[in-house]
């Protein structure tokens, strides 16, 4: 158990008087049953408490090794303590959530036999990757125990088992998620559809990422007719034009629907005509997602048609009928094929949506149709959306005339808060100047994304000058642009003027040694990404000096900048004054053990430290441990891709002190010099168990190949990848 401090015990139990308390349990195989029961009796609170449990093993069995997080669980019948069983009765009126990512037969048996003490309290059940059909367990007996269950998620559970689960569970279900079950037989879906009609309280239904054949759509229509749904997710179920025509009358009966997701169904222009009739009845609809439906494509043979006809125009004209519509996603629909006239109809419809606050139009205009004037047709209506706050125009082609029209429209949006014009290689220098010409009249603009444009370095200084009036700007991205030194000076001026700019994403902008100018005087800066800028040691030295004036900096990402030990040492000196620093990414540099040890001086509040692929060798491991031991808040430490050997891992385990990294959740030590045989030896010798015993909160100890995917591998931290700046904020 994560230990309770002496202050908590000395407080006379005040620690337990909060409404929610979390206790973590690891390595229960090291504790005997009697000892565990005694400890639970000792710390069990006298009032309502939610016990958060992180389960690694259930003694030596497989009872709960599959449970990722359980908000409340009892051990009745497994520990055998009568007093403990009596104390568990206090939880009968609590709200209980059970989540299991890999369901086994033992978990299902435990649910059936050992949950009588809180069977009336379980309200949310999440079983993923269950494959319960392979287990010889009486499913009706399991689900019949929980009569107050309201939220049920059965993802990847197996087609045969899904119908049994739905038949056995209570009909009080209000939130149901049965996505990703890959129905490939009509008969199976017929049975499941008939079960869904029995849930009369259903308000949230997610059946996305399944395949529905024509006969089953009729049963789906009956479900939509019988339930008063608020949220409906039909993402990627293979509707097509005929499928949407089949369920459109049923959708029209969902008059209280607030969220509708029809993404990736390729309903095309004929399907848009069917959908338009249904939308006219949805007066409460607030979120509509039509991503990837090829709305401007008549059919497969007419994909290059210059106009899509009146079908899409009918859909646009039905949008104002949804008087509560706030979010509209029309990405990846090839809307430019409608030409200027077709886009003008869409713009006029957007203007009439008085509650519309967010519109996504990314990936709709390609180079073949940009000369037809789609942006000119859209801009007049778009500029008159009185409540519009968020506009996404990314991944589109644009010309100078279109950029000028959009710039004029943006200038009229006084309520605009975020603008995404990223990934537009055709946005040349003149186009960029035209597009940003109206930003000065957007006082509430908080986020601007101009990543990966085709603008030349000489225009960025003028762009920065136009951003100066945007005093509310908090996030700016110029990733993958040739900004250069002049642009860097312009951005520095913006930072000095703006008192709120907190996040700057300037990866791969070829700042070089001029990068320090960007952050000088940025008092409000909380995050900055300067990856792929060839800083080297001189640039990182200047950066360290500049960062001394950023007391609120929380995230700093410097991937692939050829920073050596000297630069890392100088950078660490500057970061010592950044007392709020929590996440530091130095992946793919050459800081070595010396530079890594120097970074230990700024470990105060740091939670994430990424030092993968930094030429750290074995002789520096002991020194690093001495320095990193002060990182009491450290939760993620990545040393993958360095020159560590098996003996270095052994030395690390031997050098660890009890509770040194008591909050560490993830540790990456993968190296090319540690093969499968070495990993097996480390396991046999108990080295890995020794590391886990010191890091009591450790969930992932990675000794695999350093090329693995994800933030802890080497793929998505590359140039422009999702694992850079954004990943450090979301991990």
């Amino acid at each position: 158990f994560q230990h309770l401090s002496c202050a908590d015990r000395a407080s006379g139990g005040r620690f337990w008087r909060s409404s929610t308390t979390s206790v973590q349990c690891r390595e229960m195989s090291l504790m005997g049953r009697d000892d565990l029961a005694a400890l639970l009796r000792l710390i069990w609170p006298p009032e309502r408490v939610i016990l958060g449990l992180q389960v690694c093993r259930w003694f030596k069995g497989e009872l709960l090794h599959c449970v990722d997080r359980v908000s409340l669980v009892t051990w009745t019948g497994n520990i055998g303590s009568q007093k403990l069983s009596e104390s568990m009765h206090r939880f009968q009126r609590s709200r209980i959530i059970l989540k299991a990512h890999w369901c086994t037969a033992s978990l299902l048996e435990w649910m059936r036999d050992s949950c009588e003490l809180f069977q009336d309290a379980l309200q949310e059940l999440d079983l993923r990757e269950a494959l319960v059909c392979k287990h010889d367990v009486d499913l009706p007996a399991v689900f019949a125990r929980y009569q107050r269950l309201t939220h049920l998620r059965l993802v990847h559970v197996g087609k045969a088992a899904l119908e049994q689960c739905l038949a056995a569970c209570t009909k009080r279900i209000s939130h149901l998620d049965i996505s990703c079950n890959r129905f490939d037989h009509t008969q199976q879906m017929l049975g499941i559809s008939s079960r869904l009609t029995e849930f009369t309280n259903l308000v949230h239904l997610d059946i996305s990422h399944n395949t529905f054949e024509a006969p089953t759509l009729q049963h789906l229509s009956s479900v939509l007719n019988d339930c008063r749904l608020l949220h409906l997710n039909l993402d990627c179920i293979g509707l097509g034009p005929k499928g949407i025509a089949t369920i459109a009358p049923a959708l029209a009966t969902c008059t209280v629907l607030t969220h509708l997701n029809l993404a990736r169904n390729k309903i095309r222009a004929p399907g848009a005509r069917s959908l338009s009739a249904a939308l006219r009845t949805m007066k409460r609809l607030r979120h509509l997602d039509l991503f990837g439906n090829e709305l401007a494509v008549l059919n497969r043979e007419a994909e290059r048609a210059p106009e899509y006809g009146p079908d899409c125009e009918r859909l646009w004209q039905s949008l104002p009928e949804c008087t509560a519509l706030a979010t509209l996603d029309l990405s990846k629909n090839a809307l430019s094929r409608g030409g200027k006239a077709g886009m003008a109809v869409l713009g006029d419809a957007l203007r009439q949506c008085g509650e519309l606050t967010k519109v996504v139009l990314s990936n709709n205009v390609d180079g073949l149709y940009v000369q037809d004037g789609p942006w000119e047709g859209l801009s007049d209506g778009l500029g008159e959306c009185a409540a519009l706050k968020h506009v996404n125009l990314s991944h589109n082609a644009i010309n100078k005339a279109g950029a000028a029209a959009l710039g004029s429209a943006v200038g009229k949006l006084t309520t605009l808060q975020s603008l995404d014009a990223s990934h537009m290689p055709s946005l040349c220098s003149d186009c960029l100047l035209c597009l940003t010409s109206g930003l000065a009249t957007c006082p509430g603009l908080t986020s601007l994304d101009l990543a990966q444009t085709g603008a030349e370095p000489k225009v960025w200084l003028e762009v920065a000058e136009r951003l100066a009036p945007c005093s509310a700007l908090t996030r700016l991205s110029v990733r993958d642009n040739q900004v250069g030194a002049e642009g860097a000076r312009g951005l520095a001026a913006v930072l000095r003027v703006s008192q709120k700019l907190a996040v700057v994403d300037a990866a791969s902008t070829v700042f070089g040694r001029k990068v320090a100018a960007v952050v000088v005087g940025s008092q409000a800066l909380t995050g900055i990404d300067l990856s792929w800028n060839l800083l080297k040691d001189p640039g990182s030295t200047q950066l360290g000096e500049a960062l001394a004036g950023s007391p609120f900096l929380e995230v700093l990402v410097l991937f692939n900048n050829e920073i050596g030990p000297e630069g890392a040492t100088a950078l660490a000196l500057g970061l010592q004054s950044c007392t709020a620093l929590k996440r530091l990414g130095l992946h793919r540099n050459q800081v070595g053990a010396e530079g890594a040890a120097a970074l230990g001086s700024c470990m105060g509040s740091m939670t994430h430290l990424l030092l993968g692929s930094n030429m750290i060798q074995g002789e520096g491991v002991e020194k690093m441990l001495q320095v990193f031991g002060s990182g009491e808040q450290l939760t993620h430490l990545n040393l993958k891709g360095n020159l560590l050997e098996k003996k270095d891992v052994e030395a690390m385990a031997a050098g660890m002190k009890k509770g040194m990294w008591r909050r560490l959740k993830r540790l990456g030590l993968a190296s090319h010099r540690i093969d499968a045989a070495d990993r097996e030896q480390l396991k046999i010798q108990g080295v890995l168990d020794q590391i886990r015993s010191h890091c009591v909160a450790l969930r992932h100890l990675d000794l695999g190949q350093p090329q693995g995917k994800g933030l802890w591998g080497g793929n998505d931290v590359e140039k422009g990848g999702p694992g850079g700046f954004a990943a450090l904020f979301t991990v």
Side-chain angles (χ1 to χ4, degrees):
F1 281 86
Q2 185 175 348
H3 68 278
L4 302 178
S5 64
C6 296
D8 294 327
R9 287 194 288 266
S11 63
R14 290 192 298 271
F15 175 83
W16 295 107
R17 294 178 184 176
S18 59
S19 59
T20 302
T21 303
S22 176
V23 178
Q24 294 186 352
C25 179
R26 300 286 294 174
E27 298 290 355
M28 289 187 290
S29 60
L30 302 178
M31 182 179 296
R33 296 193 178 197
D34 295 338
D35 295 335
L36 180 59
L39 180 58
L40 287 174
R41 288 197 301 270
L42 175 65
I43 67 173
W44 210 271
E47 62 270 358
R48 174 183 173 185
V49 172
I50 295 180
L51 178 62
L53 182 64
Q54 299 293 339
V55 180
C56 177
R57 298 187 183 92
W58 181 258
F59 297 102
K60 296 182 180 180
E62 298 181 351
L63 183 60
L64 288 177
H65 78 282
C66 55
V67 180
D68 177 64
R69 183 168 185 83
V70 185
S71 295
L72 181 64
V73 68
T74 72
W75 290 270
T76 305
N78 297 313
I79 294 180
S81 170
Q82 182 62 30
K83 293 183 179 179
L84 180 60
S85 300
E86 295 174 355
S87 65
M88 296 294 290
H89 283 283
R90 301 189 183 102
F91 290 99
Q92 289 186 349
R93 296 184 179 180
S94 303
R95 178 183 178 87
I96 304 174
I97 303 173
L98 175 61
K99 295 183 179 181
H101 286 253
W102 290 276
C103 185
T104 63
S106 52
L107 175 62
L108 294 173
E109 293 172 355
W110 173 78
M111 291 175 59
R112 181 191 62 195
D113 301 331
S114 304
C115 298
E116 64 275 3
L117 292 178
F118 62 93
Q119 61 187 10
D120 292 335
L122 185 65
Q123 296 186 16
E124 297 187 24
L125 178 60
D126 185 349
L127 298 179
R128 281 172 281 183
E129 299 288 349
L131 299 175
V132 290
C133 59
K134 296 183 179 180
H135 305 312
D136 188 17
V137 178
D138 187 4
L139 292 176
V142 174
F143 283 89
R145 303 291 297 275
Y146 307 104
Q147 295 301 314
R148 293 185 60 188
L149 195 65
T150 59
H151 294 61
L152 179 61
R153 186 179 188 189
L154 299 171
V155 180
H156 289 297
V157 298
K159 298 180 286 290
L162 178 60
E163 185 177 355
Q164 299 182 43
C165 296
L166 294 178
C169 65
T170 175
K171 307 310 175 186
R172 299 177 58 181
I173 297 293
S174 61
H175 292 66
L176 179 62
D177 182 355
I178 55 173
S179 58
C180 303
N181 282 294
R182 298 181 180 179
F183 307 122
D184 51 6
H185 296 290
T186 303
Q187 192 61 35
Q188 291 176 343
M189 193 56 222
L190 291 177
I192 293 174
S193 299
S194 62
R195 297 298 181 188
L196 293 178
T197 59
E198 300 175 3
F199 297 109
T200 56
N201 294 331
L202 200 62
V203 296
H204 187 123
L205 177 61
D206 186 347
I207 54 177
S208 60
H209 299 279
N210 292 301
T211 301
F212 285 79
E213 299 179 1
T216 63
L217 290 176
Q218 296 292 344
H219 289 263
L220 178 60
S221 298
S222 63
V223 174
L224 300 179
N225 285 322
D226 296 339
C227 300
R228 294 180 60 83
L229 293 174
L230 300 178
H231 295 244
L232 178 61
N233 190 349
L234 302 177
D235 183 4
C236 196
I237 64 172
L239 285 177
K242 295 182 179 179
I244 190 65
T246 302
I247 68 170
L251 287 175
T253 63
C254 301
T255 56
V256 297
L257 199 65
T258 60
H259 293 68
L260 177 60
N261 188 348
L262 289 169
R264 288 179 283 262
N265 278 294
K266 297 184 179 181
I267 65 175
R268 296 195 170 94
R273 177 176 53 194
S274 304
L275 179 61
S276 62
L279 291 179
R280 295 182 185 276
T281 65
M282 301 180 185
K283 305 299 182 181
R284 301 184 183 181
L285 188 66
R286 293 190 56 81
H287 302 273
L288 177 61
D289 190 346
L290 296 175
F291 169 85
N293 273 291
E294 302 179 3
L295 295 176
V297 179
L298 292 173
N299 50 57
R300 293 182 181 272
E301 290 74 22
E303 289 188 354
R304 293 298 176 184
E307 294 186 5
Y308 48 58
D311 293 331
C312 276
E313 294 181 3
R314 292 180 182 177
L315 178 61
W316 307 150
Q317 293 169 357
S318 67
L319 293 178
E321 300 291 335
C322 304
T323 55
L325 189 63
T327 302
L328 177 63
D329 190 344
L330 295 174
S331 303
K332 207 172 182 179
N333 279 298
L335 300 182
S336 61
R337 297 180 184 179
K340 184 176 181 179
M343 294 290 276
V345 177
L346 174 59
D348 184 64
L350 296 179
R351 176 182 58 81
Q352 299 179 50
C353 297
E355 300 293 329
L356 190 64
T357 60
K358 181 178 180 179
V359 59
V360 183
L361 297 170
S362 62
N363 215 330
N364 271 298
V365 180
D366 54 33
L368 294 177
Y369 298 94
V370 70
Q371 300 300 330
D372 297 337
W375 297 120
E376 294 91 314
L378 176 69
S379 58
D380 291 339
L382 186 67
E384 298 181 12
C385 296
L388 198 58
K389 298 180 180 180
H390 310 280
V391 179
N392 189 336
L393 304 173
S394 62
H395 297 84
N396 282 301
I398 195 171
N399 56 10
K400 186 175 180 180
L406 285 176
S408 176
V410 168
K412 300 176 183 178
L413 297 175
T414 56
T415 59
L416 188 65
Q417 295 182 2
S418 68
L419 175 63
D420 188 347
S422 62
H423 298 87
M424 300 173 70
S426 61
L427 191 66
C428 61
S429 300
D430 293 338
C431 295
L432 181 60
L433 292 176
C434 292
L435 182 61
T436 56
S437 59
L439 294 180
T441 58
C442 300
L445 187 67
T446 59
S447 175
L448 178 62
D449 193 342
L450 297 174
Q452 200 173 349
T453 66
E456 299 176 356
K458 60 182 180 181
V459 305
W460 285 100
L461 180 59
E462 187 173 352
V463 171
E465 293 175 353
R466 296 184 177 185
L467 295 178
C470 301
S471 57
L473 196 64
T474 59
R475 188 186 188 280
L476 174 63
S477 175
V478 292
R479 170 184 287 267
D480 292 317
N481 283 293
Q482 301 295 321
V483 175
E486 293 186 3
R489 287 193 292 269
L491 291 176
V494 174
L495 284 169
R496 285 192 292 270
V497 172
S498 177
Q499 300 298 319
K500 298 181 180 180
L501 189 58
V503 178
V504 176
D505 188 354
S508 188
T509 49
V510 197
F511 282 164
R513 299 181 184 180
K514 301 294 184 181
V515 69
V518 179
V519 296
V520 172
S522 52
Q523 295 293 329
L525 196 64
T526 60
I528 185 169
D529 186 353
L530 297 171
S531 303
W532 294 85
N533 275 296
L534 299 177
L535 299 183
K536 300 185 178 181
D537 287 345
S540 58
T541 301
Q542 297 177 16
L543 178 62
E545 297 173 355
L547 289 175
S550 303
F552 302 108
L553 185 69
E554 296 182 2
V555 180
L556 177 61
V557 186
L558 299 173
F559 293 155
N560 213 319
N561 272 294
E562 300 183 14
I563 301 175
E566 180 182 349
T569 303
L571 180 65
L573 291 176
L575 293 178
Q576 289 180 5
S577 60
C578 301
T579 55
L581 186 65
K582 295 181 179 179
R583 307 191 179 201
L584 177 61
L586 285 169
H587 191 78
R588 295 201 174 186
N589 287 286
Q590 296 92 37
V591 302
E594 179 182 351
L599 293 171
S601 59
C602 52
M603 293 288 295
S605 60
M606 192 176 299
T607 60
H608 291 62
L609 180 59
L610 276 65
L611 292 174
S613 302
N614 266 283
M615 307 295 291
I616 299 176
Q617 299 184 9
E619 60 269 13
V621 172
E622 184 176 354
K623 186 176 182 180
M624 286 173 51
L625 284 177
Q626 295 175 356
V627 178
F628 289 176
S630 60
E632 296 183 356
Q633 305 297 325
L634 198 64
T635 60
H636 292 66
L637 176 60
N638 186 1
L639 299 175
K640 293 181 65 173
N642 287 293
L643 305 179
L644 301 180
E645 299 180 0
K646 173 175 172 290
K647 61 180 181 180
D648 302 324
V649 179
E650 296 173 347
M652 176 176 289
M656 284 185 174
K657 298 179 181 179
K658 186 71 173 180
M660 184 176 70
W661 289 330
R662 60 188 181 89
R663 298 181 186 271
L664 192 67
K665 298 178 181 178
R666 187 155 191 172
L667 177 62
L669 299 175
S671 171
H672 292 289
R673 299 185 178 183
I674 302 177
D675 54 18
D678 292 334
R679 292 193 291 271
E680 187 64 25
Q681 285 294 323
L682 291 172
K683 183 177 180 180
I684 294 175
Q685 295 173 3
V687 176
L688 303 185
D689 290 336
Q690 185 178 357
I691 294 177
R692 291 192 180 98
S693 64
H694 293 306
C695 307
V696 293
L698 192 65
R699 299 179 187 174
H700 302 280
L701 176 57
D702 192 353
L703 284 171
Q705 293 298 321
Q707 303 96 332
K709 294 182 179 180
L711 178 64
W712 296 82
N715 294 336
D716 66 349
V717 295
E718 296 289 346
K719 178 179 177 181
F725 193 57
L728 281 180
F729 275 105
T730 57
V731 165

